Amino acid sequence: MDEKCGVVGVSLADRAAARPLYYALYALQHRGQESAGIITHDGFQQHSHVEMGLVGDAFDPDDIDGLNGSNGIGHVRYPTAGSVDTACAQPFSVSFKSGSLGLSHNGNLVNAGTIRDELAGMGHAFTSDGDTEVIAHDLARNLLDADLVTAVEETMAKVHGSYSLAVMHDDRVLGLRDPQGNRPLCLGELDDGYVLASESAAIDALDGELIRDVEPGELIVLDPDGTGYESHRLTDPDTTARCFFEHVYFARPDSTVDGKLVYEARRELGRGLWTENGIDTDVVMPVPDSGRAFASGYAEAANEDGGGVEFAEGLMKNRYVGRTFIMPSQDERERAVRLKLNPIKSTVEGKTVTLIDDSIVRGTTSTQLVELLHDVGAAEVHLRIGSPPIVAPCYMGIDMASRDELIAAGKTVDEVREEINADSLGFLSPASIADALDTAREDLCMGCVTGKYPYDIDGEATDRAVSRPVIGD
């Protein structure tokens, strides 16, 4: 499985690409903390450095100086399954008869195993269990007999699942987004070149300007000299399957994803949460940091309705503790919550509190926070969530637990409320998600909250007519 990650690619006029790639990866660090890597090309040969750990730990100045060339790609990775070692760290590189190839992948293929078996039968040897290597081998095979655009199109016709790719073929950098646009990818312009990235925050970090999102099914080829780019629309689907959870949780609030500033989307989601499940309390407070914009929109809508509610910061965050959502084990998640968030007693004591969070996955954080607020004297704790109940796994690259681990799977809202021990609990509806994102419901992937998916996944229902490609015919 290839996972929730961040990708970037740059082509510059006459400047080394390594340092801009390094800065861009820093801006995407929230998308993966297990490994970081950069591949560059100097016009003659490929240079690569990939290490486990955070971006700042994976590179030292000598590593950056050794990555020659004005074209390159980068990757930050967080694994949800499969190996956690340098074999699966990215970008993945391969040399073959027609040159060198490097790939950075965000997403997950449904049919990687089938394609791997086919390629292995043709003599391809694999060094990892990730699906990025499957894409690389298939693309390399197609490049033996076809031009670049045709080879990419042939690979796209075979793979089934979600992917945004930053690809390097010799000194040409490409960006490719899957036909459903499940994972984000955008295009930006620098003073001396162009950049492709998972989020626009990476473009901002390079003092660039966002041009637009890469469209679902679109291939962007950057000119190696940094003077321009080509666009090839390889597919033009009737509907898309954009991941709503990018706006709810994963993307940075200062990023623009699919034409919508994430911060404003979260405020709109918070306003919808008040409309659907508002409750008058003394204080409205967010779970920092991703709950903040939701709570701001919620409190604003409440006050417009004459609620007179106070918006307050009642939980202080220790910023040296990572995301509990993506901690590897349950014990670590439970300990991290206590290390990560501490209540401000004067904001909470003796008051009725509405606590706003973006989502509930396993329920560990929510349960502990409700208990924490009661312990410091809250009269009531009402929990409001800026997304629907998560009832099914994500197969498209976010670390969603199995159904057995999801607190809302197979339970009513009141049963979840009772388990969390909140005085009341309210979620946002899928319809409100679509409204806040200005997107038709059928253009969103909501498999984790509906149990129906936009891809052909073994043992799961679909929400549209879809089937995976037949391999080997």
Side-chain angles (χ1 to χ4, degrees):
M1 192 175 190
D2 228 334
E3 302 83 11
K4 197 74 177 103
C5 304
V7 306
V8 62
V10 299
S11 289
L12 305 174
D14 56 7
R15 177 165 56 115
R19 197 163 296 277
L21 287 166
Y22 176 73
Y23 295 146
L25 291 181
Y26 250 115
L28 297 174
Q29 184 73 86
H30 61 289
R31 299 187 69 88
Q33 296 88 46
E34 278 291 345
S35 65
I38 291 173
I39 289 177
T40 61
H41 202 285
D42 62 9
F44 299 98
Q45 63 178 326
Q46 191 181 86
H47 306 272
S48 175
H49 182 82
V50 181
E51 284 290 341
M52 304 300 292
L54 300 173
V55 175
D57 298 324
F59 297 91
D60 62 33
D62 289 340
D63 297 326
I64 298 295
D65 292 342
L67 292 167
N68 299 321
S70 58
N71 300 282
I73 60 174
H75 188 268
V76 287
R77 177 179 188 254
Y78 175 78
T80 58
S83 298
V84 184
D85 54 33
T86 52
C88 280
Q90 296 182 39
F92 184 85
S93 60
V94 59
S95 296
F96 61 108
K97 189 182 299 184
S98 295
S100 60
L101 198 63
L103 271 87
S104 295
H105 176 204
N106 171 206
N108 180 49
L109 299 187
V110 174
N111 64 342
T114 304
I115 300 173
R116 180 193 302 274
D117 290 344
E118 181 196 41
L119 291 169
M122 297 176 179
H124 290 251
F126 290 88
T127 61
S128 74
D129 58 2
D131 40 358
T132 304
E133 187 176 5
V134 172
I135 300 172
H137 277 267
D138 192 75
L139 183 56
R141 184 171 68 88
N142 292 333
L143 282 166
L144 296 174
D145 303 311
D147 64 84
L148 180 60
V149 175
T150 302
V152 171
E153 194 168 18
E154 289 174 352
T155 293
M156 177 182 274
K158 181 176 287 188
V159 298
H160 185 61
S162 67
Y163 51 90
S164 283
L165 302 175
V167 183
M168 170 163 276
H169 178 226
D170 292 335
D171 62 351
R172 283 184 293 179
V173 172
L174 331 172
L176 180 66
R177 196 173 181 191
D178 81 67
Q180 278 66 52
N182 187 257
R183 292 282 153 242
L185 191 66
C186 58
L187 172 68
E189 184 174 7
L190 309 178
D191 288 341
D192 58 348
Y194 290 85
V195 56
L196 293 152
S198 292
E199 295 183 32
S200 63
I203 299 171
D204 296 337
L206 303 181
D207 295 323
E209 292 291 330
L210 174 66
I211 297 174
R212 61 177 175 84
D213 293 289
V214 177
E215 294 297 322
E218 184 181 16
L219 169 67
I220 298 288
V221 183
L222 304 184
D223 293 342
D225 61 2
T227 58
Y229 64 90
E230 298 174 4
S231 167
H232 303 270
R233 196 68 183 268
L234 303 184
T235 64
D236 190 10
D238 294 331
T239 59
T240 61
R242 303 169 197 263
C243 174
F244 84 94
F245 216 66
E246 288 283 350
H247 283 96
V248 167
Y249 178 80
F250 224 94
R252 278 176 48 159
D254 54 333
S255 285
T256 297
V257 174
D258 288 327
K260 188 84 171 178
L261 181 65
V262 173
Y263 177 78
E264 290 300 333
R266 289 178 183 167
R267 277 179 48 83
E268 285 299 313
L269 292 166
R271 293 178 65 86
L273 189 56
W274 167 260
T275 300
E276 290 189 336
N277 281 296
I279 185 170
D280 287 322
T281 58
D282 298 323
V283 177
V284 171
M285 51 187 269
V287 177
D289 284 313
S290 55
R292 186 168 286 120
F294 294 89
S296 172
Y298 180 97
E300 182 179 81
N303 288 321
E304 287 174 1
D305 280 352
V309 69
E310 177 190 1
F311 174 84
E313 296 282 355
L315 291 167
M316 285 298 102
K317 182 178 181 181
N318 177 354
R319 301 188 184 281
Y320 296 94
V321 178
R323 290 185 169 194
T324 57
F325 176 61
I326 55 177
M327 290 276 179
S329 73
Q330 185 69 10
D331 286 346
E332 286 177 296
R333 283 190 289 272
E334 291 177 2
R335 175 58 55 190
V337 170
R338 290 289 185 163
L339 292 173
K340 185 176 182 179
L341 296 167
N342 196 43
I344 298 175
K345 191 172 183 180
S346 61
T347 301
V348 175
E349 190 173 21
K351 296 179 181 178
T352 58
V353 174
T354 300
L355 183 64
I356 310 282
D357 205 355
D358 56 87
S359 59
I360 299 178
V361 182
R362 297 171 180 87
T364 302
T365 300
S366 301
T367 302
Q368 291 196 337
L369 290 180
V370 170
E371 179 184 3
L372 194 60
L373 294 178
H374 279 308
D375 287 347
V376 295
E380 297 174 2
V381 180
H382 301 270
L383 190 58
R384 294 294 179 268
I385 305 299
S387 61
I390 295 171
V391 298
C394 174
Y395 295 94
M396 298 301 109
I398 297 181
D399 181 20
M400 295 292 190
S402 67
R403 282 179 173 85
D404 289 343
E405 297 175 286
L406 295 169
I407 191 171
K411 294 188 182 76
T412 66
V413 171
D414 196 56
E415 287 171 336
V416 177
R417 180 207 61 77
E418 187 174 346
E419 188 164 338
I420 289 172
N421 200 30
D423 290 277
S424 72
L425 173 63
F427 292 90
L428 197 61
S429 70
S432 287
I433 297 283
D435 287 345
L437 300 185
D438 297 323
T439 304
R441 168 64 186 83
E442 58 269 23
D443 285 329
L444 293 172
C445 177
M446 288 192 168
C448 62
V449 299
T450 65
K452 295 182 178 180
Y453 299 87
Y455 298 94
D456 181 6
I457 300 166
D458 290 338
E460 299 288 2
T462 62
D463 63 3
R464 63 197 70 189
V466 61
S467 59
R468 68 183 71 183
V470 176
I471 307 298
D473 282 7

